[in-house]
Coordinates of all heavy atoms in Angstrom, one line a residue:
M1 N -93.7 -59.1 -4.4 CA -93.4 -57.8 -4.9 C -92.6 -57.0 -3.9 O -91.6 -56.4 -4.4 CB -94.7 -57.1 -5.2 CG -94.6 -55.8 -6.0 SD -93.9 -56.2 -7.6 CE -94.4 -54.8 -8.4
K2 N -92.8 -57.0 -2.6 CA -92.0 -56.4 -1.7 C -90.5 -56.9 -1.7 O -89.6 -56.1 -1.5 CB -92.6 -56.5 -0.3 CG -93.7 -55.6 -0.1 CD -94.2 -55.8 1.4 CE -95.6 -54.9 1.5 NZ -96.1 -55.0 2.9
T3 N -90.4 -58.2 -1.9 CA -89.1 -58.8 -2.0 C -88.3 -58.3 -3.1 O -87.1 -57.9 -3.0 CB -89.2 -60.3 -2.0 OG1 -90.0 -60.8 -1.0 CG2 -87.8 -61.0 -2.0
V4 N -88.9 -58.1 -4.3 CA -88.2 -57.5 -5.5 C -87.8 -56.1 -5.2 O -86.6 -55.7 -5.5 CB -89.1 -57.6 -6.7 CG1 -88.6 -56.9 -7.8 CG2 -89.4 -59.1 -7.0
H5 N -88.7 -55.2 -4.6 CA -88.4 -53.9 -4.3 C -87.1 -53.8 -3.2 O -86.2 -53.0 -3.4 CB -89.5 -53.1 -3.7 CG -90.6 -52.9 -4.7 ND1 -90.4 -51.9 -5.7 CD2 -91.8 -53.4 -4.9 CE1 -91.5 -51.9 -6.5 NE2 -92.4 -52.8 -6.0
A6 N -87.2 -54.7 -2.3 CA -86.2 -54.7 -1.3 C -84.8 -55.1 -1.9 O -83.7 -54.6 -1.6 CB -86.5 -55.7 -0.1
L7 N -84.8 -56.1 -2.8 CA -83.6 -56.6 -3.5 C -83.1 -55.4 -4.4 O -81.9 -55.2 -4.4 CB -83.9 -57.8 -4.4 CG -82.8 -58.3 -5.2 CD1 -81.6 -58.8 -4.2 CD2 -83.3 -59.6 -6.0
V8 N -83.9 -54.7 -5.1 CA -83.5 -53.6 -6.0 C -82.9 -52.5 -5.1 O -81.8 -52.0 -5.5 CB -84.6 -53.1 -6.9 CG1 -84.3 -51.8 -7.6 CG2 -85.1 -54.1 -7.9
L9 N -83.5 -52.2 -4.0 CA -83.0 -51.2 -3.1 C -81.6 -51.6 -2.6 O -80.7 -50.8 -2.5 CB -84.0 -50.9 -2.0 CG -83.6 -49.9 -0.9 CD1 -83.4 -48.5 -1.6 CD2 -84.5 -49.8 0.2
A10 N -81.5 -52.8 -2.1 CA -80.2 -53.3 -1.6 C -79.1 -53.2 -2.7 O -77.9 -52.9 -2.4 CB -80.4 -54.8 -1.1
L11 N -79.4 -53.6 -4.0 CA -78.4 -53.5 -5.0 C -78.0 -52.0 -5.3 O -76.9 -51.7 -5.5 CB -79.0 -54.1 -6.3 CG -79.1 -55.6 -6.3 CD1 -79.8 -56.1 -7.5 CD2 -77.8 -56.3 -6.1
L12 N -79.0 -51.1 -5.3 CA -78.6 -49.7 -5.5 C -77.8 -49.2 -4.3 O -76.8 -48.5 -4.6 CB -80.0 -48.9 -5.5 CG -80.8 -49.1 -6.8 CD1 -82.1 -48.3 -6.7 CD2 -80.0 -48.6 -8.0
V13 N -78.0 -49.6 -3.1 CA -77.2 -49.1 -2.0 C -75.8 -49.7 -2.1 O -74.8 -49.0 -1.9 CB -77.8 -49.6 -0.6 CG1 -76.9 -49.3 0.5 CG2 -79.2 -48.8 -0.4
L14 N -75.7 -51.0 -2.4 CA -74.4 -51.6 -2.6 C -73.6 -50.9 -3.7 O -72.4 -50.7 -3.6 CB -74.5 -53.1 -2.8 CG -74.9 -53.9 -1.6 CD1 -75.1 -55.3 -2.0 CD2 -73.8 -53.8 -0.5
A15 N -74.3 -50.7 -4.8 CA -73.6 -50.1 -6.0 C -73.0 -48.7 -5.6 O -71.9 -48.3 -6.0 CB -74.5 -49.9 -7.1
G16 N -73.8 -47.9 -4.8 CA -73.3 -46.6 -4.4 C -72.2 -46.6 -3.4 O -71.4 -45.7 -3.2
C17 N -72.0 -47.7 -2.8 CA -70.9 -47.8 -1.7 C -69.7 -48.6 -2.2 O -68.8 -48.8 -1.4 CB -71.5 -48.6 -0.5 SG -72.8 -47.7 0.3
S18 N -69.7 -49.0 -3.4 CA -68.6 -49.8 -3.8 C -67.3 -49.2 -3.9 O -66.2 -49.8 -3.8 CB -68.9 -50.4 -5.3 OG -69.0 -49.3 -6.2
S19 N -67.1 -47.9 -4.0 CA -65.8 -47.2 -4.0 C -65.9 -46.0 -3.1 O -66.6 -45.0 -3.3 CB -65.5 -46.7 -5.5 OG -66.3 -45.8 -5.9
G20 N -65.1 -46.1 -2.1 CA -65.0 -45.0 -1.1 C -63.9 -44.0 -1.5 O -63.3 -44.1 -2.5
P21 N -63.6 -43.1 -0.6 CA -62.7 -42.1 -0.9 C -61.2 -42.6 -1.0 O -60.4 -42.0 -1.6 CB -62.8 -41.1 0.3 CG -63.5 -41.9 1.4 CD -64.3 -42.9 0.7
E22 N -61.0 -43.8 -0.5 CA -59.6 -44.3 -0.6 C -59.4 -45.2 -1.8 O -58.3 -45.8 -2.0 CB -59.3 -45.2 0.7 CG -59.3 -44.3 1.9 CD -58.2 -43.2 1.9 OE1 -57.1 -43.4 1.4 OE2 -58.6 -42.1 2.3
A23 N -60.4 -45.4 -2.6 CA -60.3 -46.1 -3.9 C -59.3 -45.6 -4.8 O -59.2 -44.3 -5.0 CB -61.6 -46.4 -4.5
A24 N -58.4 -46.4 -5.4 CA -57.4 -45.9 -6.3 C -58.0 -45.5 -7.6 O -59.0 -46.1 -8.0 CB -56.4 -47.1 -6.6
P25 N -57.5 -44.4 -8.2 CA -58.0 -43.9 -9.5 C -57.6 -44.9 -10.6 O -56.7 -45.7 -10.4 CB -57.3 -42.5 -9.6 CG -56.1 -42.7 -8.8 CD -56.4 -43.6 -7.6
P26 N -58.2 -44.8 -11.7 CA -57.8 -45.7 -12.8 C -56.4 -45.4 -13.1 O -55.9 -44.3 -13.1 CB -58.7 -45.2 -14.0 CG -59.7 -44.3 -13.4 CD -59.3 -43.9 -12.1
A27 N -55.7 -46.5 -13.5 CA -54.3 -46.4 -13.8 C -54.0 -45.5 -15.1 O -54.8 -45.5 -16.0 CB -53.7 -47.8 -14.1
A28 N -53.0 -44.6 -14.9 CA -52.6 -43.7 -16.0 C -51.3 -44.3 -16.6 O -50.6 -45.0 -16.0 CB -52.4 -42.3 -15.5
D29 N -51.0 -43.8 -17.8 CA -49.7 -44.2 -18.4 C -48.6 -43.7 -17.5 O -48.7 -42.6 -16.8 CB -49.6 -43.5 -19.8 CG -50.5 -44.1 -20.8 OD1 -50.9 -45.3 -20.6 OD2 -50.8 -43.5 -21.8
P30 N -47.5 -44.4 -17.5 CA -46.3 -43.9 -16.7 C -45.9 -42.5 -17.1 O -46.0 -42.2 -18.3 CB -45.3 -44.9 -17.0 CG -46.0 -46.1 -17.4 CD -47.2 -45.6 -18.2
L31 N -45.5 -41.8 -16.1 CA -44.9 -40.4 -16.4 C -43.5 -40.5 -16.5 O -42.8 -41.0 -15.6 CB -45.3 -39.4 -15.3 CG -44.7 -38.0 -15.3 CD1 -45.2 -37.3 -16.5 CD2 -45.2 -37.3 -14.1
V32 N -42.9 -40.2 -17.7 CA -41.4 -40.4 -17.9 C -40.9 -39.0 -18.2 O -41.3 -38.4 -19.2 CB -41.2 -41.4 -19.1 CG1 -39.7 -41.5 -19.3 CG2 -41.8 -42.7 -18.8
L33 N -39.9 -38.6 -17.4 CA -39.3 -37.2 -17.6 C -37.8 -37.4 -17.7 O -37.2 -38.1 -16.9 CB -39.7 -36.3 -16.5 CG -41.2 -36.0 -16.3 CD1 -41.4 -35.1 -15.0 CD2 -41.7 -35.2 -17.5
A34 N -37.2 -36.6 -18.6 CA -35.7 -36.5 -18.7 C -35.4 -35.1 -18.2 O -35.9 -34.1 -18.8 CB -35.2 -36.8 -20.1
L35 N -34.6 -35.0 -17.2 CA -34.2 -33.6 -16.6 C -32.7 -33.5 -16.6 O -32.0 -34.4 -16.5 CB -34.8 -33.6 -15.2 CG -36.3 -33.9 -15.1 CD1 -36.6 -34.1 -13.6 CD2 -37.1 -32.8 -15.7
S36 N -32.3 -32.2 -16.7 CA -30.9 -31.8 -16.7 C -30.7 -30.8 -15.6 O -31.3 -29.8 -15.6 CB -30.4 -31.2 -18.0 OG -29.1 -30.8 -17.9
V37 N -29.7 -31.1 -14.7 CA -29.4 -30.2 -13.7 C -28.7 -29.0 -14.3 O -28.9 -27.8 -13.9 CB -28.4 -30.8 -12.6 CG1 -27.9 -29.8 -11.6 CG2 -29.1 -32.0 -11.9
D38 N -27.9 -29.1 -15.3 CA -27.2 -28.1 -15.9 C -28.0 -27.2 -16.8 O -27.6 -26.0 -17.1 CB -26.0 -28.7 -16.8 CG -25.2 -29.7 -16.0 OD1 -24.6 -29.2 -15.0 OD2 -25.2 -30.8 -16.3
Q39 N -29.1 -27.6 -17.2 CA -30.1 -26.8 -18.0 C -31.4 -26.7 -17.3 O -32.5 -26.7 -17.9 CB -30.2 -27.3 -19.4 CG -28.9 -27.4 -20.1 CD -29.0 -28.1 -21.5 OE1 -30.0 -28.7 -21.8 NE2 -28.0 -28.1 -22.2
A40 N -31.3 -26.6 -16.0 CA -32.6 -26.6 -15.1 C -33.5 -25.4 -15.6 O -33.0 -24.3 -15.5 CB -32.3 -26.6 -13.7
S41 N -34.7 -25.7 -15.9 CA -35.7 -24.7 -16.1 C -37.0 -25.3 -15.5 O -37.8 -26.0 -16.1 CB -35.9 -24.5 -17.6 OG -37.0 -23.6 -17.9
P42 N -37.1 -25.0 -14.2 CA -38.2 -25.7 -13.4 C -39.5 -25.5 -14.1 O -39.9 -24.5 -14.6 CB -38.1 -25.0 -12.1 CG -36.8 -24.4 -11.9 CD -36.4 -24.1 -13.4
Q43 N -40.2 -26.6 -14.0 CA -41.6 -26.7 -14.6 C -42.5 -27.3 -13.7 O -42.1 -28.0 -12.8 CB -41.6 -27.4 -16.0 CG -41.0 -28.8 -15.9 CD -40.8 -29.5 -17.2 OE1 -41.8 -29.4 -18.1 NE2 -39.8 -30.2 -17.4
T44 N -43.8 -27.2 -13.9 CA -44.8 -27.9 -13.1 C -45.4 -28.9 -14.0 O -45.9 -28.6 -15.2 CB -45.9 -26.9 -12.6 OG1 -45.2 -26.0 -11.8 CG2 -46.9 -27.7 -11.8
V45 N -45.6 -30.1 -13.5 CA -46.1 -31.3 -14.3 C -47.2 -31.9 -13.5 O -47.1 -32.1 -12.3 CB -45.1 -32.3 -14.6 CG1 -45.7 -33.5 -15.3 CG2 -43.9 -31.7 -15.5
E46 N -48.4 -32.1 -14.1 CA -49.5 -32.7 -13.4 C -49.5 -34.2 -13.6 O -49.1 -34.7 -14.6 CB -50.8 -32.1 -13.9 CG -51.0 -30.7 -13.6 CD -52.4 -30.2 -13.5 OE1 -53.3 -31.0 -13.6 OE2 -52.6 -29.0 -13.4
A47 N -49.9 -34.9 -12.5 CA -49.9 -36.4 -12.5 C -51.2 -36.7 -11.6 O -51.9 -35.9 -11.1 CB -48.7 -36.9 -11.9
V48 N -51.5 -38.1 -11.6 CA -52.6 -38.6 -10.8 C -52.0 -39.5 -9.8 O -51.1 -40.2 -10.0 CB -53.6 -39.3 -11.7 CG1 -54.3 -38.2 -12.7 CG2 -53.1 -40.3 -12.6
R49 N -52.8 -39.6 -8.7 CA -52.4 -40.5 -7.6 C -52.5 -41.9 -8.2 O -53.3 -42.3 -8.9 CB -53.4 -40.4 -6.5 CG -53.1 -41.2 -5.3 CD -53.9 -40.9 -4.1 NE -55.3 -41.0 -4.3 CZ -56.0 -42.1 -4.1 NH1 -55.5 -43.2 -3.6 NH2 -57.4 -42.1 -4.3
G50 N -51.4 -42.7 -7.9 CA -51.4 -44.1 -8.3 C -50.5 -44.2 -9.6 O -50.2 -45.3 -10.1
Q51 N -50.1 -43.1 -10.2 CA -49.3 -43.1 -11.5 C -47.8 -43.4 -11.2 O -47.3 -43.0 -10.2 CB -49.4 -41.7 -12.1 CG -48.9 -41.7 -13.5 CD -49.1 -40.4 -14.2 OE1 -49.6 -39.4 -13.6 NE2 -49.0 -40.4 -15.5
A52 N -47.3 -44.3 -12.0 CA -45.9 -44.6 -12.0 C -45.1 -43.5 -12.6 O -45.5 -42.9 -13.6 CB -45.6 -45.9 -12.7
V53 N -43.9 -43.2 -12.0 CA -43.0 -42.1 -12.5 C -41.7 -42.7 -12.7 O -41.1 -43.5 -11.9 CB -43.0 -41.0 -11.5 CG1 -42.1 -39.8 -12.0 CG2 -44.4 -40.4 -11.2
E54 N -41.0 -42.3 -13.7 CA -39.6 -42.5 -13.9 C -38.9 -41.2 -14.4 O -39.3 -40.6 -15.4 CB -39.3 -43.6 -15.0 CG -37.8 -43.9 -15.2 CD -37.6 -45.0 -16.2 OE1 -38.1 -46.1 -16.1 OE2 -36.8 -44.8 -17.1
L55 N -38.0 -40.8 -13.5 CA -37.2 -39.6 -13.7 C -35.8 -40.0 -14.1 O -35.1 -40.7 -13.4 CB -37.2 -38.7 -12.6 CG -38.5 -38.3 -12.0 CD1 -38.3 -37.4 -10.7 CD2 -39.4 -37.5 -13.0
T56 N -35.2 -39.4 -15.1 CA -33.9 -39.6 -15.5 C -33.2 -38.2 -15.5 O -33.6 -37.3 -16.1 CB -33.6 -40.2 -16.9 OG1 -34.4 -41.5 -17.0 CG2 -32.2 -40.5 -17.2
V57 N -32.2 -38.1 -14.6 CA -31.5 -36.8 -14.4 C -30.1 -36.8 -14.7 O -29.4 -37.7 -14.2 CB -31.7 -36.3 -12.8 CG1 -31.1 -35.0 -12.6 CG2 -33.2 -36.4 -12.5
T58 N -29.7 -35.9 -15.6 CA -28.3 -35.8 -15.9 C -27.6 -34.6 -15.3 O -28.3 -33.6 -15.0 CB -28.1 -35.7 -17.5 OG1 -28.8 -34.5 -17.9 CG2 -28.6 -37.0 -18.2
S59 N -26.3 -34.7 -15.1 CA -25.6 -33.6 -14.5 C -24.1 -33.7 -14.9 O -23.5 -34.8 -14.9 CB -25.8 -33.6 -12.9 OG -25.0 -32.6 -12.4
E60 N -23.4 -32.6 -15.1 CA -22.0 -32.6 -15.3 C -21.2 -32.7 -14.1 O -20.1 -33.1 -14.1 CB -21.6 -31.2 -16.0 CG -22.2 -31.1 -17.5 CD -21.7 -32.2 -18.4 OE1 -20.4 -32.4 -18.4 OE2 -22.5 -32.8 -19.1
E61 N -21.8 -32.3 -12.9 CA -21.2 -32.5 -11.6 C -22.0 -33.5 -10.7 O -23.1 -33.6 -10.9 CB -21.1 -31.1 -10.9 CG -20.4 -30.0 -11.7 CD -18.9 -30.3 -11.8 OE1 -18.4 -30.9 -10.8 OE2 -18.4 -29.9 -12.8
P62 N -21.3 -34.2 -9.8 CA -22.0 -35.1 -8.9 C -23.0 -34.3 -8.1 O -22.7 -33.3 -7.5 CB -20.9 -35.7 -8.1 CG -19.7 -35.4 -8.8 CD -19.9 -34.1 -9.6
V63 N -24.3 -34.9 -8.1 CA -25.3 -34.2 -7.3 C -26.2 -35.4 -6.8 O -26.4 -36.4 -7.4 CB -26.2 -33.3 -8.0 CG1 -25.4 -32.0 -8.3 CG2 -26.8 -33.8 -9.3
D64 N -26.9 -35.1 -5.7 CA -27.9 -36.1 -5.1 C -29.3 -35.5 -5.6 O -29.5 -34.3 -5.5 CB -27.9 -36.2 -3.6 CG -26.6 -36.9 -3.2 OD1 -26.3 -37.9 -3.8 OD2 -26.1 -36.5 -2.1
V65 N -30.1 -36.4 -6.1 CA -31.5 -36.0 -6.5 C -32.5 -36.7 -5.7 O -32.3 -37.9 -5.4 CB -31.7 -36.4 -8.0 CG1 -33.0 -35.9 -8.5 CG2 -30.5 -35.8 -8.9
H66 N -33.5 -35.9 -5.2 CA -34.5 -36.6 -4.4 C -35.9 -35.9 -4.7 O -36.0 -34.8 -5.2 CB -34.2 -36.6 -2.9 CG -34.5 -35.3 -2.3 ND1 -33.6 -34.3 -2.3 CD2 -35.5 -34.9 -1.5 CE1 -34.1 -33.3 -1.6 NE2 -35.2 -33.6 -1.1
V67 N -36.9 -36.6 -4.3 CA -38.3 -36.1 -4.4 C -38.8 -35.9 -3.0 O -38.9 -36.8 -2.2 CB -39.2 -37.1 -5.2 CG1 -40.6 -36.6 -5.4 CG2 -38.5 -37.5 -6.5
H68 N -39.2 -34.6 -2.7 CA -39.8 -34.4 -1.4 C -41.1 -35.2 -1.2 O -41.9 -35.2 -2.1 CB -40.1 -32.8 -1.3 CG -38.9 -32.0 -1.0 ND1 -38.5 -31.6 0.2 CD2 -38.0 -31.5 -1.9 CE1 -37.4 -30.9 0.1 NE2 -37.0 -30.8 -1.2
G69 N -41.2 -35.7 -0.1 CA -42.4 -36.5 0.2 C -42.5 -37.9 -0.3 O -43.4 -38.6 -0.1
V70 N -41.4 -38.3 -1.1 CA -41.3 -39.7 -1.6 C -40.0 -40.2 -1.3 O -39.0 -39.5 -1.3 CB -41.4 -39.6 -3.2 CG1 -41.3 -41.0 -3.7 CG2 -42.8 -38.9 -3.6
D71 N -39.9 -41.4 -0.8 CA -38.7 -42.0 -0.3 C -37.8 -42.5 -1.4 O -37.6 -43.7 -1.5 CB -39.1 -43.1 0.8 CG -37.9 -43.5 1.6 OD1 -36.9 -42.8 1.6 OD2 -37.9 -44.7 2.1
V72 N -37.3 -41.7 -2.2 CA -36.4 -42.1 -3.3 C -35.2 -41.1 -3.4 O -35.4 -39.9 -3.1 CB -37.0 -42.2 -4.7 CG1 -38.0 -43.3 -4.7 CG2 -37.7 -40.9 -5.1
L73 N -34.0 -41.6 -3.6 CA -32.8 -40.8 -3.7 C -31.9 -41.5 -4.7 O -31.8 -42.7 -4.7 CB -32.1 -40.7 -2.3 CG -30.8 -40.0 -2.2 CD1 -30.9 -38.5 -2.5 CD2 -30.2 -40.2 -0.9
A74 N -31.2 -40.7 -5.5 CA -30.3 -41.2 -6.5 C -29.2 -40.2 -6.7 O -29.3 -39.0 -6.4 CB -31.0 -41.6 -7.8
R75 N -28.0 -40.6 -7.2 CA -27.0 -39.8 -7.4 C -26.7 -39.7 -9.0 O -26.5 -40.7 -9.6 CB -25.7 -40.2 -6.7 CG -24.5 -39.3 -6.8 CD -23.5 -39.5 -5.6 NE -22.4 -38.7 -5.7 CZ -22.4 -37.4 -5.1 NH1 -23.5 -37.0 -4.6 NH2 -21.4 -36.7 -5.1
A76 N -26.5 -38.5 -9.4 CA -26.2 -38.3 -10.9 C -24.7 -37.8 -10.9 O -24.3 -37.0 -10.0 CB -27.1 -37.2 -11.5
E77 N -24.0 -38.3 -11.9 CA -22.6 -37.9 -12.1 C -22.4 -37.7 -13.6 O -23.2 -38.2 -14.4 CB -21.7 -38.9 -11.6 CG -21.8 -39.1 -10.0 CD -20.8 -40.2 -9.5 OE1 -19.9 -40.6 -10.3 OE2 -21.0 -40.6 -8.3
R78 N -21.3 -37.1 -14.0 CA -21.0 -37.0 -15.4 C -21.0 -38.3 -16.1 O -20.3 -39.2 -15.7 CB -19.7 -36.2 -15.5 CG -19.3 -36.2 -17.0 CD -18.0 -35.5 -17.2 NE -18.1 -34.6 -18.3 CZ -17.7 -33.4 -18.4 NH1 -17.0 -32.8 -17.4 NH2 -17.9 -32.6 -19.4
G79 N -21.8 -38.5 -17.1 CA -21.8 -39.8 -17.8 C -22.7 -40.8 -17.1 O -22.8 -41.9 -17.7
K80 N -23.2 -40.6 -15.9 CA -24.0 -41.6 -15.3 C -25.2 -40.9 -14.7 O -25.2 -40.3 -13.6 CB -23.2 -42.3 -14.1 CG -23.9 -43.3 -13.4 CD -23.1 -43.9 -12.2 CE -24.0 -44.9 -11.5 NZ -23.5 -45.1 -10.2
P81 N -26.3 -40.9 -15.4 CA -27.6 -40.3 -14.9 C -28.2 -41.0 -13.7 O -28.0 -42.2 -13.5 CB -28.6 -40.4 -16.1 CG -28.0 -41.3 -17.1 CD -26.6 -41.5 -16.7
A82 N -28.9 -40.2 -12.9 CA -29.7 -40.7 -11.8 C -31.0 -41.2 -12.4 O -31.6 -40.4 -13.2 CB -29.9 -39.6 -10.7
V83 N -31.5 -42.3 -12.0 CA -32.8 -42.8 -12.4 C -33.6 -43.0 -11.1 O -33.2 -43.8 -10.3 CB -32.7 -44.1 -13.2 CG1 -34.1 -44.6 -13.6 CG2 -31.9 -43.8 -14.5
L84 N -34.7 -42.3 -11.0 CA -35.7 -42.5 -9.9 C -37.0 -43.0 -10.4 O -37.6 -42.4 -11.3 CB -35.9 -41.2 -9.2 CG -34.6 -40.5 -8.6 CD1 -34.1 -39.5 -9.6 CD2 -35.0 -39.8 -7.3
A85 N -37.4 -44.2 -9.9 CA -38.6 -44.8 -10.3 C -39.5 -45.0 -9.0 O -39.0 -45.5 -8.0 CB -38.4 -46.1 -10.9
F86 N -40.7 -44.5 -9.1 CA -41.6 -44.6 -7.9 C -43.1 -44.5 -8.4 O -43.3 -44.2 -9.6 CB -41.3 -43.5 -6.9 CG -41.2 -42.1 -7.4 CD1 -42.3 -41.3 -7.4 CD2 -40.1 -41.6 -8.1 CE1 -42.3 -40.0 -7.8 CE2 -40.1 -40.3 -8.6 CZ -41.2 -39.5 -8.5
T87 N -44.0 -44.7 -7.4 CA -45.4 -44.5 -7.7 C -45.9 -43.4 -6.8 O -45.6 -43.4 -5.6 CB -46.1 -45.8 -7.4 OG1 -45.7 -46.9 -8.2 CG2 -47.6 -45.7 -7.7
L88 N -46.7 -42.5 -7.4 CA -47.3 -41.4 -6.6 C -48.5 -41.9 -5.8 O -49.6 -42.2 -6.3 CB -47.8 -40.3 -7.6 CG -46.6 -39.7 -8.4 CD1 -47.2 -38.9 -9.6 CD2 -45.7 -38.8 -7.5
A89 N -48.2 -42.2 -4.5 CA -49.2 -42.8 -3.7 C -50.2 -41.9 -3.0 O -51.2 -42.3 -2.6 CB -48.4 -43.6 -2.6
R90 N -50.0 -40.5 -3.1 CA -50.9 -39.7 -2.5 C -50.9 -38.4 -3.3 O -50.0 -38.1 -4.0 CB -50.6 -39.4 -1.0 CG -49.3 -38.8 -0.7 CD -49.0 -38.6 0.8 NE -48.1 -37.6 1.0 CZ -46.8 -37.9 1.3 NH1 -46.4 -39.1 1.3 NH2 -46.0 -36.9 1.5
T91 N -51.9 -37.6 -3.0 CA -52.1 -36.3 -3.7 C -51.2 -35.2 -3.0 O -50.9 -35.4 -1.9 CB -53.6 -35.8 -3.8 OG1 -54.0 -35.7 -2.5 CG2 -54.4 -36.8 -4.6
G92 N -50.9 -34.2 -3.7 CA -50.2 -33.0 -3.2 C -49.2 -32.5 -4.2 O -49.3 -32.9 -5.4
T93 N -48.3 -31.7 -3.7 CA -47.3 -31.1 -4.6 C -45.9 -31.6 -4.1 O -45.6 -31.5 -2.9 CB -47.3 -29.6 -4.5 OG1 -48.6 -29.1 -5.0 CG2 -46.2 -28.9 -5.4
F94 N -45.1 -32.0 -4.9 CA -43.8 -32.8 -4.6 C -42.7 -32.2 -5.5 O -42.8 -32.3 -6.7 CB -43.9 -34.2 -4.8 CG -45.0 -34.9 -4.1 CD1 -46.3 -35.1 -4.7 CD2 -44.9 -35.2 -2.7 CE1 -47.4 -35.6 -4.0 CE2 -46.0 -35.8 -2.0 CZ -47.1 -36.0 -2.6
D95 N -41.7 -31.5 -4.8 CA -40.6 -30.9 -5.6 C -39.5 -32.0 -5.8 O -39.2 -32.8 -4.9 CB -40.0 -29.8 -4.8 CG -40.9 -28.6 -4.8 OD1 -41.9 -28.5 -5.6 OD2 -40.7 -27.7 -3.9
V96 N -39.0 -32.0 -7.0 CA -37.8 -32.8 -7.4 C -36.7 -31.9 -7.4 O -36.6 -30.9 -8.1 CB -38.0 -33.5 -8.7 CG1 -36.8 -34.4 -9.1 CG2 -39.3 -34.3 -8.7
E97 N -35.6 -32.2 -6.5 CA -34.5 -31.3 -6.3 C -33.2 -32.1 -6.5 O -33.1 -33.2 -6.2 CB -34.5 -30.7 -5.0 CG -35.6 -29.7 -4.8 CD -35.5 -29.0 -3.4 OE1 -34.9 -29.7 -2.5 OE2 -36.1 -27.9 -3.2
A98 N -32.2 -31.3 -7.1 CA -30.8 -31.7 -7.1 C -30.1 -30.9 -6.0 O -30.2 -29.7 -6.0 CB -30.2 -31.5 -8.4
H99 N -29.5 -31.6 -5.1 CA -28.9 -30.8 -3.9 C -27.5 -30.2 -4.3 O -26.8 -30.9 -5.0 CB -28.8 -31.7 -2.7 CG -30.1 -31.7 -2.0 ND1 -30.4 -30.7 -1.0 CD2 -31.2 -32.5 -2.1 CE1 -31.6 -30.9 -0.5 NE2 -32.1 -31.9 -1.2
P100 N -27.3 -29.0 -3.9 CA -27.9 -28.4 -2.7 C -29.1 -27.6 -3.0 O -30.0 -27.5 -2.0 CB -26.8 -27.6 -2.2 CG -26.0 -27.1 -3.3 CD -26.0 -28.3 -4.3
D101 N -29.3 -27.0 -4.2 CA -30.4 -26.1 -4.3 C -31.1 -25.9 -5.6 O -31.4 -24.8 -6.0 CB -30.0 -24.7 -3.7 CG -28.8 -24.1 -4.5 OD1 -28.3 -24.8 -5.5 OD2 -28.3 -23.1 -4.2
T102 N -31.2 -27.0 -6.4 CA -31.7 -26.8 -7.8 C -33.0 -27.5 -7.9 O -33.1 -28.7 -7.8 CB -30.7 -27.3 -8.8 OG1 -29.4 -26.7 -8.6 CG2 -31.2 -27.2 -10.2
L103 N -34.1 -26.7 -8.1 CA -35.4 -27.2 -8.3 C -35.5 -27.7 -9.8 O -35.2 -26.9 -10.7 CB -36.5 -26.2 -8.1 CG -37.9 -26.7 -8.4 CD1 -38.3 -27.9 -7.5 CD2 -38.9 -25.5 -8.2
L104 N -35.8 -29.0 -10.0 CA -35.8 -29.6 -11.4 C -37.3 -29.6 -11.9 O -37.5 -29.2 -13.1 CB -35.3 -30.9 -11.4 CG -33.8 -31.1 -11.0 CD1 -33.4 -32.5 -10.9 CD2 -32.9 -30.3 -12.0
V105 N -38.2 -30.0 -11.1 CA -39.6 -30.0 -11.5 C -40.5 -30.1 -10.3 O -40.0 -30.6 -9.2 CB -39.8 -31.3 -12.5 CG1 -39.7 -32.6 -11.8 CG2 -41.2 -31.2 -13.2
R106 N -41.7 -29.6 -10.4 CA -42.6 -29.7 -9.4 C -43.8 -30.6 -9.8 O -44.4 -30.3 -10.8 CB -43.2 -28.3 -9.0 CG -44.3 -28.3 -8.0 CD -44.5 -26.9 -7.4 NE -43.3 -26.6 -6.5 CZ -42.8 -25.4 -6.3 NH1 -43.3 -24.4 -7.0 NH2 -41.8 -25.2 -5.6
L107 N -44.0 -31.7 -9.1 CA -45.0 -32.6 -9.5 C -46.3 -32.2 -8.7 O -46.3 -32.2 -7.5 CB -44.7 -34.1 -9.1 CG -43.5 -34.6 -9.9 CD1 -43.1 -36.0 -9.4 CD2 -43.7 -34.6 -11.4
V108 N -47.5 -32.0 -9.4 CA -48.7 -31.7 -8.8 C -49.6 -32.9 -9.0 O -50.0 -33.2 -10.2 CB -49.4 -30.4 -9.3 CG1 -50.7 -30.2 -8.7 CG2 -48.4 -29.3 -9.1
V109 N -49.9 -33.6 -7.9 CA -50.6 -34.9 -8.0 C -52.1 -34.7 -7.6 O -52.3 -34.3 -6.4 CB -49.9 -36.0 -7.1 CG1 -50.6 -37.3 -7.3 CG2 -48.4 -36.1 -7.5
R110 N -53.0 -35.1 -8.4 CA -54.4 -34.9 -8.0 C -55.1 -36.3 -7.9 O -54.7 -37.3 -8.4 CB -55.1 -34.2 -9.2 CG -54.5 -32.8 -9.4 CD -55.4 -31.9 -10.1 NE -54.7 -30.7 -10.6 CZ -54.4 -29.7 -9.7 NH1 -54.7 -29.7 -8.5 NH2 -53.8 -28.7 -10.2

């Protein structure tokens, strides 16, 4: 009988320890956004850690587009949109900007 109780206790302890704070959240659908530098109206978009993101950015003038805190950079030109694809590996707030000074979207990752 003691063996059965010990086994049940061990299983309960293991079940409670199976996912620590670094465990990845369940996969979410990819976040796909189409943004325009020329019609920029900055918005805030919520996302989850581990989510895939694809941003397509159009511009009438050549601009570099990047995401703060994420190692991606692309160039948009007239008739050739910038496409940035990445995965949100950590939580926080990440601004997507077209340089020199246009905020396109703010990603809030939970």
Side-chain angles (χ1 to χ4, degrees):
M1 189 67 158
K2 287 183 182 179
T3 305
V4 172
H5 289 288
L7 181 58
V8 170
L9 180 61
L11 289 173
L12 290 173
V13 168
L14 288 175
C17 296
S18 63
S19 64
E22 295 301 317
D29 289 336
L31 175 61
V32 179
L33 298 174
L35 307 167
S36 171
V37 174
D38 306 303
Q39 298 174 355
S41 177
Q43 56 184 318
T44 299
V45 175
E46 293 205 7
V48 295
R49 184 171 56 92
Q51 189 170 15
V53 177
E54 183 178 304
L55 305 175
T56 302
V57 181
T58 59
S59 178
E60 293 296 312
E61 300 294 325
V63 293
D64 290 322
V65 181
H66 80 279
V67 182
H68 284 264
V70 179
D71 191 21
V72 292
L73 174 69
R75 184 157 183 86
E77 299 179 10
R78 175 180 224 138
K80 184 181 174 200
V83 178
L84 298 94
F86 55 95
T87 299
L88 297 165
R90 62 182 202 262
T91 59
T93 301
F94 304 93
D95 289 345
V96 178
E97 292 183 335
H99 275 274
D101 61 0
T102 304
L103 176 65
L104 299 172
V105 68
R106 178 166 284 148
L107 300 174
V108 177
V109 184
R110 304 196 188 286

